[in-house]
Each structure stands twice: as structure tokens, then as C-alpha cells.
Amino acid sequence: MYNVVAFDLDGTLLNSEPINWKSLQTYLNIYYDISVSIDELLKFTGKSAKDIFNYYGISDYKSAQIKWIDEFDKILDEVVIFDGVLDEFDKLIKLGVKLAIVTSRKRHELDKLMTKFDLEKYFDYTVSIDDTKEPKPSNEPLQKLMELASCSHKEILFIGDSSTDIECAKNNDTKFALAIWGANPDLKEQCKIVLNTPKDIYKTVVTKRVCGCNKIYFDELLQYAKEGKFTTYNELIDFVSDRTDCFDCFESAWKLLKLHINEN
């Protein structure tokens, strides 16, 4: 059962990748007279800032990152949140799921973006690159989240868009879902769970939470509800009893049915 849903930030929640590359392009040109196309910079997708600077022979990593961030801040208003993402947060919170962000951005960058999009009210936990010794693809960021949330690796669903996100989850033996709206489509082959739209987030989480023994399927439950086959607890008991003897399923299914009724 997923009790915590963790999101990467850039490319998963925020469509900030174009602005990242645009600001990097400007930085390289201004400070090092390096002219590079956006297409060429795309090869660094999923790489750390340090790796990128090393590639261009820039050794003063901390100073370089500060100046890159300065260029990013100048065009911060161009960053947008992916359509449909915010709608899913409220649904997950109603299920009792805790939300988290696990990002390779520095803490002050993360805080600035969360304030811009008013994200603080949704997220219980945040992990930045400043909170661990090793960034993604190390599993340290997810280990830090486990510490903050007092949960196991099996209780987390990590949603991201890059190969480093995939490896981070794999290294922590944590379930991963690919946010295809911000990802390279080629990564689909590496992932068992692929989210085609933000709406798939809720469906993926809620299906897992309906029944830990995986004998009840949320799609079937909602289909019965849409057809008006039951709206009372007794009718639901009959539905569940035909599929499992797991007591937890009764309470989970009833909670989900009420949520569906309230939303419709």
C-alpha cells in the first residue's frame, strides 16, 4: 500500500526543463563565451550540474551554479506547472496519502519554486540536494524521505521523469512510475508503471490502496457505482464478499466509494 507519494520536481511537476537549458545556454555564453544549442544541452538531461560543468571544463562548481541560478531566476516567470497536476494532489490527500518532493535542486531553489506555485500546502516532506551527501541516482534522497516520513521503502511510490529518478528508486527497492508528460519516451521500456497523464497518478495509487491483497479492482468498483448498483454499505459488503474475505477491503472500498459519490 502506498502511504507516501514522492515527486521529482523538474520535468515531473514543473515544466521547467526548457528554462533550465535556456538559462544554462545564457550562462555559458556570457561567462565562458561558449555557444551551444539547446538541442546539444538536452544530452545532459538527468545529469547533475557538477557533471555538466565538468564537461565544459568549469572547475569552480559552486560559483558556476550560483551564476546559473541567477540566470534562471531572471526568467523564473516562464516556468509553469504541468496541466492537471494540482487536481491530483487534493484527491491523494483525501485518501490519507502523504505527499513529498525529492529533487536535485538546492534548498533555496526548491523553496523559491514552492512559494511561486503555492505548493507548501500540499507537501508534508521535501528533500533537496542539500539534505543528503549523495544526490540521485543514489538512494540517499529516498532514504532521507523514509526517515522523515517514518515509513518503509515499500510504502513509497516515486514519480519522476529521468533515468536518475529511475535508478534512485531501483537502488532503494522502491516502486517507480514514469511521468511520461515530461520524460523521454525511450524510458518507457525501463518502467513497469507509466503515467500517460497526471490523472493516472490517482488511479495508480487508489488501485493499490483499495486492497492490499489485490483481489479487488478499483475500476470494477467505480463501474458498479456509476451503474448505480450500490450506494449503501450493505450493498458494498455483498460486492466485496464475493471477491475477498479481507476485512481491510471493506473499509478501504467504502471510503473510496464515498469519495467517488462526493465527487460526482
Side-chain angles (χ1 to χ4, degrees):
M1 181 179 291
Y2 303 132
N3 290 319
V4 179
V5 177
F7 296 87
D8 172 54
L9 187 65
D10 296 282
T12 301
L13 298 182
L14 303 182
N15 189 12
S16 54
E17 290 299 305
I19 313 307
N20 277 335
W21 303 130
K22 185 177 178 179
S23 57
L24 176 59
Q25 182 187 47
T26 301
Y27 162 75
L28 291 172
N29 184 257
I30 291 176
Y31 293 96
Y32 292 92
D33 198 26
I34 297 174
S35 296
V36 58
S37 69
I38 297 296
D39 286 341
E40 183 177 341
L41 293 176
L42 289 176
K43 67 185 178 185
F44 297 114
T45 299
K47 299 293 185 181
S48 69
K50 190 172 185 179
D51 288 337
I52 297 172
F53 294 140
N54 284 338
Y55 179 86
Y56 288 107
I58 302 171
S59 58
D60 191 353
Y61 163 67
K62 291 185 178 180
S63 175
Q65 188 167 38
I66 290 173
K67 292 174 181 176
W68 181 7
I69 293 170
D70 286 342
E71 295 303 321
F72 180 89
D73 286 345
K74 292 176 183 178
I75 53 176
L76 183 63
D77 288 343
E78 296 181 32
V79 177
V80 296
I81 195 164
F82 281 108
D83 289 341
V85 170
L86 292 179
D87 295 335
E88 301 310 299
F89 294 161
D90 287 327
K91 293 180 183 178
L92 294 173
I93 291 171
K94 286 180 180 179
L95 287 176
V97 176
K98 299 295 185 181
L99 303 185
I101 289 177
V102 177
T103 178
S104 293
R105 281 196 177 275
K106 296 182 75 63
R107 171 56 60 181
H108 71 274
E109 295 178 272
L110 171 59
D111 291 344
K112 186 178 296 184
L113 287 167
M114 290 191 70
T115 298
K116 172 180 169 60
F117 293 101
D118 194 24
L119 296 177
E120 293 97 335
K121 62 185 178 184
Y122 298 109
F123 289 92
D124 301 276
Y125 316 107
T126 58
V127 179
S128 73
I129 198 170
D130 295 325
D131 299 317
T132 60
K133 291 182 179 179
E134 295 294 331
K136 297 179 288 185
S138 164
N139 71 330
E140 278 194 42
L142 288 178
Q143 288 285 312
K144 181 63 177 181
L145 174 58
M146 289 164 54
E147 176 187 332
L148 293 173
S150 299
C151 69
S152 72
H153 63 96
K154 293 183 179 180
E155 295 176 77
I156 299 172
L157 175 67
F158 184 33
I159 300 174
D161 66 289
S162 69
S163 58
T164 55
D165 294 329
I166 295 172
E167 288 302 312
C168 177
K170 183 178 180 180
N171 291 334
N172 201 57
D173 194 22
T174 290
K175 291 290 186 181
F176 178 81
L178 182 68
I180 199 63
W181 53 86
N184 183 331
D186 293 341
L187 294 177
K188 291 171 66 174
E189 298 179 0
Q190 302 179 38
C191 305
K192 292 184 178 180
I193 305 175
V194 176
L195 308 174
N196 293 307
T197 72
K199 288 184 178 181
D200 290 336
I201 300 172
Y202 177 71
K203 183 176 179 180
T204 298
V205 174
V206 82
T207 302
K208 184 73 173 179
R209 289 178 68 85
V210 169
C211 175
C213 58
N214 294 317
K215 293 180 181 176
I216 295 179
Y217 298 96
F218 185 54
D219 285 344
E220 185 181 13
L221 175 67
L222 287 189
Q223 186 59 42
Y224 270 56
K226 290 176 182 177
E227 294 173 359
K229 293 187 176 180
F230 51 74
T231 56
T232 68
Y233 190 61
N234 287 336
E235 291 169 335
L236 184 69
I237 288 177
D238 292 337
F239 173 86
V240 176
S241 298
D242 290 340
R243 290 157 180 80
T244 179
D245 57 1
C246 172
F247 177 78
D248 289 339
C249 293
F250 290 95
E251 294 304 318
S252 296
W254 180 240
K255 182 177 180 179
L256 293 169
L257 178 60
K258 288 195 293 183
L259 179 60
H260 168 73
I261 293 172
N262 290 337
E263 291 182 345
N264 293 276

